[in-house]
Amino acid sequence: MGKQHSREYQTLLNNIPGGVQQCLNDRFFTLVEVNQGFLDLFGFSREEITERFHDHFIEMIHPADRQDILAETAEQFRRTGKCSSNYRVLCKNGKFKWVLDNAQLNQNEEGEERIFCILLDVTDSRNDREELRLSLERHRIILNQTTDIIFEWDIGNDTILYSANWQKKFGYDPNCDGTNRDLSFARHVHPDDITALKRLMANAKDGVSLSDAEIRILNAEGMYIWCRIRYTDQYDSTGKPIKAVGIITDIDNDKKMIDDLRQRAERDALTGLLNREESERQIRNYLRDNPDEPCALLMIDTDNFKKVNDTQGHLFGDAVLSELAAGMKKLTRQTDVVGRIGGDEFMIFLKNITSREMAAEKAACLLELFQRLFQQGKRPIEVTCSAGIAIYPDDGKNFQSLYHSADLALYQAKKQGKNQYLLFDKEHGSTVGDTGYSSLGATIDSDLDTSEAPKDLVNYVFQVLYDTSDIDHVIQLILEIVGKRFDVSRAYIFEDSDDGTYCDNTYEWCNDGIASQKENLQHFPYADVEGYRDLFKDHSVFYCRDIHSLTPVQTALFESQGICSTLQCAILEGDAFHGFVGFDECTGMRLWNKEEIATLTLISQLLTTFLLKKRTTKHDSELAIRLNTILDTQDAYIYAIEQDTCELLYLNLKTRELDPKAKPGMTCYKTFFGRETPCKTCPLSGGVGEIYNPQYGVWTRAKASPMKWGELDAYLLTCFDITEYKKMQ
């Protein structure tokens, strides 16, 4: 009967999942018996364990874990008679396995203390936990290094959490409650951008998965900073949007660069007034949008201005024109159009006038301004002007006819003795052909760096870049238009890798009969052509009429592409080189004149600005997705709580799926356990970390790690589901 009982006991022992061992409660954990699962777990036979380890289980445990296990076992046995621990055990193949040891202390009839242990292989789980730890560490590093602000808007509770970078960037803590209800956040937003902010928030609530907007946010110093807000929606199991997670990026410098380029494209360089093309464009658009509104066009010509230049010099003449321009802007409303259309000729478009007399009064003020402006100086000079006035719609139904009428009135004013203004008279008006006079086509000295056609092109390039939602298509189109306009052989863009070691030909247009080089110029290493970046010395422009004047290696590179002459403009972000925009001539050596170089350089700067913006946008999108999913992909319940209050700060996807009602701001013990006080078994309270949750019927092995959540002291809890293992127990 005893043998039968022994066999049944051994059969039961061998069928328990995992490794089972019974050992003495001594400093060696001397083995008394083990089951077959124990031998299979570590690969040793029973005889090998006796011969190699003298039946001392402590010798199978990793040396670095032995003292901790002895101390931990003694302490837990003293308190409860049970012990749960993790440690590494040597296997026959020379590797160590992580095991979860659930042990119980027993005493036999002779009073001898023995430990009964069930060992489970948790190596994969430990590796997963280590990978999670590294992922979290990478997450923290990303958050600490980026200057972007990460935010999470809980749409249902209408609360927003921001990363600590908000305080660093703007110098104050934002209001995080009732964001959508009372738009409290909007008090930090520029009034002109409130509509864009509302639209962004509406998109998030409507479930638009990805959206962005550019708005200005006030800092603690009272200055508005241009920022790009970009978010990704998160949804519950029914597809309802519950959160918007995103990034706020400082784009203030980019905006200033764009504004500067736009100013250069729209404004006269000397006076700051609108140039001829922009003045005409704005007037045409206004007449189109306001066909029933009376307006006036004034053509103004400075009388005998050549005499000022001849007697006082061109620099003095430029100063006079600048002063006149400033005076004209003071006499007009901000909504009116004031432009310089010739060397000493100006145009003023008065919107929504009440009568012809109002236009005449404005012209009289202009004449008086010209007469007195330079009479009080150390060297008084006499400057006068003549003006012609045409009224819309009486004197012209569109810009061209209105301009024609005002131009005729100006001619009559000058013919009658100058220093006067005249309103256009239909009955006595004559054609330009009859008079031989017109202010059309007059040259502006400060515009001599580019011809009229290229200037139109610059405006066009800026407009299509600014308006497009498909930057790749537009850049390709621009290269084609510019290439054809300047009759180059090839127009292209090269962009550097992140580490700057190589470049890729990302865009290319080729003229008829010119072979494409794009496929041959991918991942091209700069090391193959020494000193290539050094070619960009003169204002970030590399211009070479004859490629044979370069080093042999550089010459060979251009010869292999059939290039005779080239003009390349660097893509710069601060002092950092990111590639270049290039224009090649392959049919023979070419001499680019100053005007062509200036225009191509300006167009390249426009392309550079939007390429860098594209890079930033792509980076923002990838970062938002990465930060949004990094913890959601972990197979563990992960959440963060504030140290002092135990309030939830963050929950990953697995935790949210376990309890969709759980929200940041709730206490973890109230939310997950329905308790009014912290749990006794919580790792933060000194518990063992193995927790059963009756609310969900889930056993977890929990570990708490201290961390910083912004300025708050917090803990990150990682809970691995061990329900199946506990069921086996």
Side-chain angles (χ1 to χ4, degrees):
M1 187 66 180
K3 290 182 179 180
Q4 177 67 25
H5 176 76
S6 178
R7 284 196 298 272
E8 290 175 352
Y9 171 78
Q10 194 63 42
T11 300
L12 177 62
L13 196 66
N14 287 335
N15 280 279
I16 294 177
V20 179
Q21 59 111 325
Q22 189 177 170
C23 64
L24 300 180
N25 186 22
D26 57 17
R27 64 189 182 93
F28 301 114
F29 295 146
T30 303
L31 294 170
V32 177
E33 60 179 330
V34 299
N35 74 340
Q36 185 60 42
F38 181 95
L39 302 176
D40 294 340
L41 186 60
F42 304 118
F44 295 109
S45 67
R46 188 67 182 85
E47 293 75 17
E48 287 173 329
I49 292 174
T50 301
E51 292 174 5
R52 182 168 177 178
F53 304 106
H54 314 99
D55 283 334
H56 293 164
F57 184 56
I58 194 71
E59 295 183 20
M60 297 179 67
I61 297 175
H62 194 291
D65 298 340
R66 292 173 188 173
Q67 291 303 317
D68 290 341
I69 291 302
L70 288 169
E72 186 177 348
T73 302
E75 174 63 20
Q76 293 195 39
F77 281 165
R78 182 184 64 78
R79 287 166 42 196
T80 64
K82 296 181 179 180
C83 178
S84 179
S85 55
N86 283 278
Y87 52 86
R88 290 163 288 183
V89 180
L90 181 66
C91 300
K92 188 173 181 179
N93 62 8
K95 297 181 179 179
F96 285 90
K97 282 186 177 179
W98 279 97
V99 296
L100 172 64
D101 183 349
N102 280 278
Q104 182 164 337
L105 183 64
N106 297 307
Q107 199 173 59
N108 63 13
E109 296 175 355
E110 290 77 24
E112 183 181 51
E113 288 187 339
R114 294 191 176 188
I115 306 171
F116 186 82
C117 306
I118 297 178
L119 308 176
L120 290 179
D121 182 358
V122 294
T123 303
D124 291 340
S125 176
R126 290 291 300 207
N127 290 340
D128 290 343
R129 291 171 65 182
E130 177 64 13
E131 180 58 32
L132 175 61
R133 186 190 68 79
L134 293 175
S135 296
L136 290 174
E137 185 63 24
R138 289 193 293 269
H139 188 196
R140 292 193 190 103
I141 290 171
I142 291 171
L143 288 177
N144 289 336
Q145 289 185 348
T146 182
T147 58
D148 297 335
I149 299 161
I150 313 299
F151 70 89
E152 181 182 278
W153 178 31
D154 187 320
I155 298 173
N157 290 325
D158 197 16
T159 58
I160 295 185
L161 294 175
Y162 298 91
S163 64
N165 283 346
W166 176 284
Q167 226 285 338
K168 296 177 185 177
K169 173 64 65 178
F170 299 111
Y172 57 86
D173 292 321
N175 187 348
C176 301
D177 299 322
T179 303
N180 185 55
R181 183 176 61 255
D182 58 12
L183 278 179
S184 56
F185 171 73
R187 70 173 181 267
H188 305 306
V189 176
H190 193 285
D192 294 344
D193 301 331
I194 296 295
T195 301
L197 175 64
K198 288 181 178 179
R199 182 169 59 250
L200 193 70
M201 299 177 74
N203 286 346
K205 292 180 67 178
D206 292 343
V208 178
S209 61
L210 187 68
S211 189
D212 59 49
E214 294 180 356
I215 66 174
R216 286 158 287 186
I217 300 176
L218 192 68
N219 67 13
E221 298 174 358
M223 300 179 63
Y224 283 101
I225 298 174
W226 273 106
C227 297
R228 181 188 302 109
I229 301 180
R230 189 178 184 87
Y231 78 84
T232 302
D233 258 357
Q234 291 182 329
Y235 308 90
D236 61 16
S237 57
T238 66
K240 177 184 176 182
I242 55 175
K243 289 188 180 179
V245 180
I247 291 176
I248 302 174
T249 303
D250 183 345
I251 59 169
D252 204 54
N253 288 335
D254 290 347
K255 277 289 188 180
K256 288 177 180 176
M257 184 185 300
I258 290 171
D259 287 343
D260 177 63
L261 291 171
R262 179 162 51 189
Q263 289 282 334
R264 292 175 61 181
E266 296 176 353
R267 301 273 171 180
D268 168 59
L270 175 64
T271 64
L273 298 180
L274 297 176
N275 59 33
R276 182 200 306 273
E277 292 76 20
E278 184 61 19
S279 298
E280 179 177 340
R281 186 188 70 81
Q282 290 193 18
I283 296 170
R284 286 183 185 277
N285 290 343
Y286 192 83
L287 294 177
R288 179 197 64 208
D289 298 336
N290 303 273
D292 300 323
E293 187 175 289
C295 305
L297 180 65
L298 282 68
M299 300 291 295
I300 304 148
D301 181 64
T302 308
D303 298 328
N304 305 315
F305 189 72
K306 184 176 184 300
K307 181 179 178 181
V308 175
N309 279 334
D310 292 344
T311 59
Q312 306 292 336
H314 284 276
L315 289 177
F316 186 83
D318 287 348
V320 168
L321 292 174
S322 296
E323 286 293 321
L324 291 174
M328 282 187 277
K329 284 191 285 187
K330 290 179 181 178
L331 281 178
T332 54
R333 299 164 294 185
Q334 287 188 346
T335 55
D336 294 330
V337 177
V338 184
R340 183 184 179 207
I341 61 170
D344 56 1
E345 293 176 344
F346 303 92
M347 172 194 297
I348 295 178
F349 181 69
L350 302 173
K351 301 176 181 178
N352 192 24
I353 62 170
T354 56
S355 64
R356 296 175 71 90
E357 288 72 25
M358 177 182 173
E361 289 174 5
K362 189 66 68 175
C365 291
L366 279 170
L367 264 63
E368 193 271 334
L369 166 73
F370 273 61
Q371 289 174 347
R372 65 174 167 80
L373 198 56
F374 303 101
Q375 290 298 317
Q376 305 301 320
K378 184 176 181 180
R379 291 183 296 173
I381 61 170
E382 182 179 356
V383 178
T384 62
C385 73
S386 302
I389 309 169
I391 306 299
Y392 173 86
D394 297 344
D395 302 333
K397 303 294 186 183
N398 53 43
F399 172 79
Q400 195 61 38
S401 58
L402 193 66
Y403 188 107
H404 176 73
S405 297
D407 194 41
L408 287 173
L410 172 60
Y411 169 74
Q412 292 296 336
K414 294 182 77 70
K415 185 177 180 182
Q416 293 180 20
K418 304 181 181 178
N419 191 22
Q420 59 184 293
Y421 68 86
L422 285 179
L423 286 146
F424 177 71
D425 183 354
K426 286 185 178 180
E427 294 183 6
H428 301 93
S430 55
T431 66
V432 174
D434 294 335
T435 64
Y437 172 84
S438 175
S439 54
L440 282 171
T443 301
I444 301 178
D445 296 340
S446 60
D447 289 343
L448 288 177
D449 58 339
T450 55
S451 64
E452 293 305 316
K455 194 164 206 180
D456 286 338
L457 180 61
V458 171
N459 288 335
Y460 171 78
V461 168
F462 173 81
Q463 198 63 49
V464 295
L465 283 170
Y466 193 78
D467 293 340
T468 187
S469 59
D470 186 352
I471 189 72
D472 293 321
H473 172 74
V474 165
I475 288 177
Q476 192 64 42
L477 175 65
I478 288 170
L479 291 180
E480 179 179 355
I481 292 173
V482 172
K484 289 180 177 178
R485 177 72 68 89
F486 289 92
D487 191 27
V488 298
S489 298
R490 187 184 298 117
Y492 50 82
I493 296 175
F494 279 78
E495 295 182 75
D496 285 7
S497 61
D498 290 339
D499 60 6
T501 58
Y502 64 85
C503 58
D504 290 300
N505 187 177
T506 51
Y507 302 90
E508 181 195 52
W509 170 83
C510 295
N511 214 330
D512 294 339
I514 303 299
S516 170
Q517 299 294 319
K518 188 175 181 181
E519 290 187 8
N520 305 326
L521 296 170
Q522 301 301 317
H523 286 64
F524 188 85
Y526 281 108
D528 286 3
V529 186
E530 185 178 355
Y532 195 89
R533 287 198 182 100
D534 295 335
L535 297 171
F536 294 85
K537 291 180 180 179
D538 184 16
H539 304 293
S540 306
V541 174
F542 163 45
Y543 167 48
C544 182
R545 179 172 178 267
D546 182 3
I547 57 103
H548 294 94
S549 63
L550 303 173
T551 67
V553 174
Q554 294 165 353
T555 299
L557 172 65
F558 289 114
E559 282 184 336
S560 66
Q561 302 169 55
I563 298 170
C564 301
S565 302
T566 189
L567 171 65
Q568 297 179 355
C569 306
I571 297 174
L572 296 175
E573 187 174 21
D575 294 330
F577 186 95
H578 290 298
F580 51 91
V581 182
F583 308 93
D584 292 341
E585 185 56 62
C586 301
T587 61
M589 284 192 295
R590 174 169 179 168
L591 176 65
W592 272 290
N593 61 42
K594 181 181 178 182
E595 291 77 14
E596 290 175 325
I597 293 175
T599 303
L600 289 173
T601 301
L602 182 54
I603 290 173
S604 297
Q605 286 178 304
L606 286 168
L607 289 170
T608 293
T609 299
F610 285 87
L611 279 170
L612 292 174
K613 178 181 177 182
K614 175 190 172 186
R615 273 193 172 201
T616 303
T617 301
K618 181 180 179 183
H619 165 76
D620 289 350
S621 177
E622 292 173 349
L623 182 59
I625 294 171
R626 185 161 61 251
L627 293 177
N628 193 41
T629 60
I630 188 170
L631 296 181
D632 285 346
T633 58
Q634 305 302 318
D635 188 22
Y637 304 109
I638 301 172
Y639 56 95
I641 62 173
E642 187 177 349
Q643 176 179 289
D644 296 331
T645 64
C646 291
E647 288 185 358
L648 292 165
L649 300 171
Y650 166 80
L651 303 90
N652 78 335
L653 178 63
K654 189 175 179 69
T655 309
R656 299 195 302 270
E657 289 176 341
L658 179 69
D659 190 343
K661 298 187 299 297
K663 308 289 183 184
M666 301 177 177
T667 59
C668 60
Y669 51 82
K670 176 72 173 177
T671 304
F672 298 142
F673 294 92
R675 298 175 56 89
E676 298 301 326
T677 58
C679 310
K680 293 181 180 179
T681 55
C682 176
L684 272 63
S685 306
V688 298
E690 191 172 286
I691 303 169
Y692 177 69
N693 191 312
Q695 190 163 297
Y696 313 116
V698 172
W699 277 94
T700 58
R701 175 83 179 169
K703 181 179 179 181
S705 303
M707 62 179 290
K708 281 286 188 182
W709 188 273
E711 299 299 322
L712 296 176
D713 291 322
Y715 281 93
L716 185 72
L717 282 93
T718 307
C719 307
F720 292 95
D721 192 334
I722 58 170
T723 305
E724 293 302 317
Y725 157 66
K726 297 298 287 188
K727 287 180 180 178
M728 288 189 288
Q729 275 191 311

